[in-house]
Amino acid sequence: REGAGKLADLGEATDTRRRQTMRPHVLSLVLLCAALRSPAPRRAFGRGAGAPLRTRCSAARTAVRAFGPGGTPAPLRTRCSAACVAVRASDGEASLRAANLPTEVWQPPSREQQFERLTSEEFDLLVVGGGATGAGVAMDAASRGLRVALVEGSDYMSGTSSKSTKLIHGGLRYLAQAFQRKIPPRSLLDVFLNLRFDPEYLRIVAADMSERAWMIQSAPFMAKALPMMVPLYRWWEVPLFWVVGNMYDLIAGAGRGVPPSSIVSVEEARFQVPSLRSVDPDGNNLVGGLVVYDGQQNDARMGVHIILTAIQQGAACVNYASIES
């Protein structure tokens, strides 16, 4: 309280020298509050003599005085949403402290410890191969309480598991197959002659998009949105694919995790993809493009992430170890 009162007194002062002295303190307070905006556990301080005053910044608004051009005081409000700021008064001087509760950091066991477990423990399940399938089986079994061991002859994800397209796609082709027996249509007449409705394809698209959104939102450090352009060479494709793009976004829902689809002009399509052909093999000129977004992931990193999760669940995983008998 005494510290807050001193800040108020300094803010109300009009002396030029005191204003200049206050600026770095105000800037430090603003930078401190900005650094504490990330979610962090609140720390409870002990009781007794000299215990600090606890305030929750998520429910408090601290107003300080910042001086603008010409010496006119301008209010500056800073909000801390996920930190606990403690003000301790000692020897007549106020000090501002930011307290964050330390969190436990899990460290994977060493390779020697993993080998020791393979020779000294009994397991319910032995998984041979540390690719995408083996890693997923090990993580799933370990999370269900089974004692799991995984052995990989080379490095994790070194085979086909790291040679994929790396796409997390919702299935734009599946969406077309839900309404068309034959794709792609060659004319507007083909669109009407091949009309059908198969809800099974829509369920596949909805499930894929839900998984895509979950991966992008839960692991943004190894999954991201990827724009793709479908060139349009017939006039009727523009309204048709506009409907397709909007339906694609509608099935994905508000939490799709990627930007919405859009139709771009010929100029924009050529600017974004300079190598795009201006005329298709049938002699039709480019009339625009449909930009849709899907996901892209780092498949090898995802696999290693799953391996580490399996180890955290209690599995013993070792690479560069072959089975002889």
Side-chain angles (χ1 to χ4, degrees):
R1 291 176 181 174
E2 182 179 351
K6 288 190 175 183
L7 285 176
D9 293 338
L10 288 174
E12 294 175 357
T14 56
D15 183 72
T16 303
R17 181 176 300 176
R18 300 191 67 183
R19 289 202 304 268
Q20 294 177 350
T21 306
M22 184 61 187
R23 286 195 188 102
H25 295 286
V26 172
L27 179 60
S28 300
L29 180 60
V30 173
L31 294 177
L32 175 63
C33 293
L36 296 175
R37 289 183 64 88
S38 59
R42 297 189 178 95
R43 180 176 180 180
F45 292 87
R47 298 180 180 179
L53 174 65
R54 288 173 291 175
T55 60
R56 293 185 177 182
C57 293
S58 59
R61 299 178 182 178
T62 304
V64 297
R65 306 288 292 182
F67 294 93
T72 303
L76 175 62
R77 295 180 180 179
T78 59
R79 301 178 182 179
C80 300
S81 59
C84 182
V85 177
V87 178
R88 180 189 294 272
S90 60
D91 300 331
E93 295 183 359
S95 61
L96 189 65
R97 295 182 54 193
N100 290 327
L101 185 66
T103 57
E104 295 183 2
V105 179
W106 176 79
Q107 294 291 340
S110 65
R111 182 178 176 83
E112 290 74 15
Q113 291 174 326
Q114 296 285 69
F115 265 112
E116 177 65 25
R117 289 189 58 193
L118 291 179
T119 58
S120 62
E121 297 182 15
E122 291 186 359
F123 298 93
D124 301 319
L125 177 66
L126 172 63
V127 181
V128 180
T133 303
V137 170
M139 183 187 70
D140 185 82
S143 64
R144 296 174 187 269
L146 296 178
R147 293 170 295 181
V148 181
L150 182 145
V151 178
E152 164 62 39
S154 184
D155 201 359
Y156 299 125
M157 312 298 152
S158 60
T160 57
S161 297
S162 59
K163 308 299 188 295
S164 68
T165 62
K166 302 174 177 30
L167 288 179
I168 317 170
H169 63 91
L172 190 62
R173 185 180 181 86
Y174 295 149
L175 179 60
Q177 289 177 321
F179 299 96
Q180 290 286 296
R181 295 187 184 90
K182 176 185 175 182
I183 55 174
R186 307 300 299 177
S187 65
L188 188 57
L189 181 61
D190 283 348
V191 175
F192 291 101
L193 292 179
N194 293 296
L195 277 177
R196 73 167 181 182
F197 178 66
D198 190 343
E200 184 62 29
Y201 283 102
L202 294 182
R203 284 191 284 269
I204 294 175
V205 174
D208 290 348
M209 287 185 169
S210 177
E211 188 73 12
R212 181 191 69 182
W214 185 87
M215 293 181 68
I216 293 177
Q217 294 171 2
S218 64
F221 54 92
M222 57 182 171
K224 62 180 181 180
L226 177 70
M228 297 182 294
M229 180 181 294
V230 180
L232 307 177
Y233 291 95
R234 299 172 179 87
W235 65 268
W236 52 268
E237 290 181 341
V238 176
L240 177 63
F241 278 85
W242 180 86
V243 173
V244 170
N246 282 273
M247 186 177 297
Y248 200 55
D249 297 336
L250 182 63
I251 296 175
R256 58 183 175 267
V258 298
S261 305
S262 62
I263 294 290
V264 298
S265 64
V266 177
E267 293 77 13
E268 181 66 19
R270 289 175 177 170
F271 176 79
Q272 296 293 342
V273 186
S275 60
L276 199 62
R277 291 187 300 184
S278 300
V279 181
D280 70 350
D282 296 332
N284 300 305
N285 294 322
L286 182 69
V287 295
L290 169 68
V291 178
V292 295
Y293 287 84
D294 269 325
Q296 186 179 44
Q297 66 158 341
N298 187 330
D299 50 5
R301 188 175 182 182
M302 176 70 76
V304 174
H305 188 76
I306 296 175
I307 289 287
L308 290 174
T309 305
I311 295 175
Q312 191 175 25
Q313 293 292 330
C317 303
V318 177
N319 59 351
Y320 293 103
S322 59
I323 296 180
E324 297 179 355
S325 61

